[in-house]
DNA sequence: AAAAGTAAACTATACGGTGCAGTGTAGATT
DNA sequence: AATCTACACTGCACCGTATAGTTTACTTTT
């Protein structure tokens, strides 16, 4: 337990980050003034600038948190003895759990908001994430080598799974045209995604 | 042909709209000042305001174009005598042609940019589009009634197709992390999407 | 001559960021 | 217990800049 040792400074800093996360998410990065932010954090504007050199630095700190969170992605190993539908479905569901989480989506909103008009910078950030999206890819490769899937292009096949997932539980939530999925919905999404994938690719 | 009858006023108006479309797309709505816009349109700032009451009005005019364009979506009819893969693949490809077009995506960028922080307004706009996405849904229903598909939930099944499409040719392009698909890529996407769908649902 | 366009200056406002004088606090020294 | 010290927080004025929209005085097009 890391608890009772927060200096006053650390408390303030955290208050700023919390307020920033919430306010950026609510009003947008552009729409949030540093004055508003300081007010919400119940901190003087000067204190904000004592902790963060600029608005940009504050934003990047938050996006850094996102990157850190993404590295927690589950990396289920392929099990040659288990049923394909069962294990793929479970792997997908655990990946959905991350992608669907409020925290993850909200931070992504801030990031997309910030990078929407800087395609090259966004592309760089996305590359970091691309490295992460290999959990399912590796599983597919393993199952293919094991001879339980028919011939396929791993990139494309993994992409199909991700498209099926994200189209239901990420993109609409990112742009806030659909609510975040509940546990049952996530489970069903995982099941039917695995089922469709295996209908096509299982030997 | 509607050609040689453009008044000077109409020419100026169109120059403003063209410049706005291009500049909003390039620099973002927030990032585009009305001065910059007038300069690019080679028109005085006053002229801009003579044609459009406000920046907001100009934006909405462009988004209106988007809506108009979306209504041109193809509505392929189900043919009980034709091969499922062939006709579904063709239907999907024609839908991709719209969704993938530079024009469509660029206008969507402007729209999302503008509505990103107004979830309720965005939701209303999206509802208009939801009505459009019924081409494939209708085809599925028809094929189901004809007994050539197994039991399914039309909403979900059509959603799966759209997720498979948009995940490859719309979302990444919207946020500019991937280039627009060329004809061959579109064709292959349509083929493999239809194939996967039918693997799972065809009787 | 009426309608539309032009250039440039102007209004009003908002925002990112800085400087500074003073205040609160926690821990070390007396 | 009283005092000292280092450091962080506060509040506010202030600067420079950007931007939506307007006004004015003049020119061009039809």
């Amino acid at each position: 337990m890391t608890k009772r040792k927060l200096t006053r400074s650390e408390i303030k800093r955290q208050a700023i980050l919390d307020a920033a996360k919430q306010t950026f998410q609510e009003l947008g990065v552009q729409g949030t003034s540093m004055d508003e932010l300081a007010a919400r954090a119940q901190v003087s504007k000067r204190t904000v600038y004592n902790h963060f050199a600029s608005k940009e630095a504050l934003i990047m700190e938050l996006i850094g948190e996102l990157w850190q969170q993404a590295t927690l992605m589950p990396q289920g190993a392929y099990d040659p003895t288990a049923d394909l539908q069962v294990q793929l479905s479970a792997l997908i569901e655990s990946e959905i759990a991350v992608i669907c989480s409020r925290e993850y989506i909200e931070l992504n909103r801030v990031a997309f908001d910030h990078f929407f008009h800087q395609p090259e910078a966004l592309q760089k950030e996305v590359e970091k994430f691309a490295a992460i999206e290999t959990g399912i890819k590796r599983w597919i490769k393993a199952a293919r080598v094991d001879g339980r899937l028919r011939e396929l292009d791993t990139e494309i096949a993994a992409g199909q799974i991700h498209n099926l997932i994200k189209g239901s539980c990420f993109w609409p939530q990112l742009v806030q045209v659909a609510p975040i999925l509940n546990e049952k919905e996530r489970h069903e999404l995982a099941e039917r995604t695995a089922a469709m994938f295996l209908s096509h690719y299982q030997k």
Side-chain angles (χ1 to χ4, degrees), chain A:
Chain A
M1 282 288 146
T2 50
K3 274 274 167 93
R4 272 280 67 76
K5 238 160 202 170
L6 295 175
T7 71
R8 194 165 117 100
S9 180
E10 287 168 330
I11 292 169
K12 294 291 179 177
R13 183 190 164 90
Q14 198 52 52
I16 294 167
L17 285 171
D18 290 344
K21 205 185 298 178
Q22 210 227 330
T23 315
F24 283 158
Q25 147 72 13
E26 187 177 325
L27 306 177
V29 174
Q30 299 259 21
T32 301
S33 74
M34 294 302 266
D35 288 283
E36 171 76 14
L37 189 76
R40 290 213 189 192
Q42 302 202 68
V43 148
S44 86
K45 187 178 170 181
R46 206 64 189 80
T47 298
V48 175
Y49 278 98
N50 284 341
H51 281 287
F52 303 97
S54 63
K55 192 180 187 180
E56 174 79 15
L58 177 53
I59 294 164
M60 292 311 292
E61 178 76 24
L62 286 179
I63 294 178
E65 281 187 28
L66 174 63
W67 168 235
Q68 203 176 353
Q69 193 179 352
T71 62
L72 301 177
M73 275 282 196
Q75 298 282 4
Y78 170 73
D79 178 355
T81 68
D83 177 64
L84 287 186
Q85 165 75 28
V86 169
Q87 63 179 304
L88 178 57
S89 168
L91 176 57
I92 289 175
E93 190 166 351
S94 67
E95 199 151 309
I96 288 177
V98 178
I99 295 176
C100 266
S101 70
R102 167 163 278 110
E103 182 94 354
Y104 184 80
I105 288 175
E106 288 182 357
L107 279 175
N108 261 290
R109 266 178 73 77
V110 175
F112 273 109
D113 191 14
H114 182 62
F115 285 123
F116 198 65
H117 301 296
Q118 312 184 19
E120 47 320 317
L122 177 58
Q123 205 138 16
K124 281 205 162 184
E125 293 294 314
V126 167
E127 275 166 26
K128 296 183 188 171
F129 282 77
I132 294 292
E133 272 187 7
T134 43
I136 285 178
K137 215 179 287 178
R138 282 220 309 273
W139 186 92
I140 292 174
K141 253 179 210 155
R144 170 83 190 99
V145 168
D146 194 31
R148 296 218 274 168
L149 296 180
R150 66 175 177 78
E151 215 167 328
L152 50 73
D153 179 321
T154 317
E155 293 294 326
I156 288 178
Q160 286 175 315
I161 290 183
H162 279 117
N163 288 350
L164 285 168
I165 296 172
K166 288 188 182 170
S168 288
C169 85
F170 179 74
W171 294 112
Q173 288 73 16
L174 186 78
V175 296
Q176 293 183 321
V177 296
I180 288 178
L181 267 52
N182 63 38
E183 192 153 352
K184 191 184 169 210
E185 290 167 331
R186 296 176 192 196
H187 180 72
E188 287 170 359
L189 175 59
E191 293 262 303
R192 90 170 86 96
T193 299
M196 180 172 241
F197 179 86
L198 292 173
S199 286
H200 194 52
Y201 289 117
Q202 188 164 18
K203 257 182 181 164

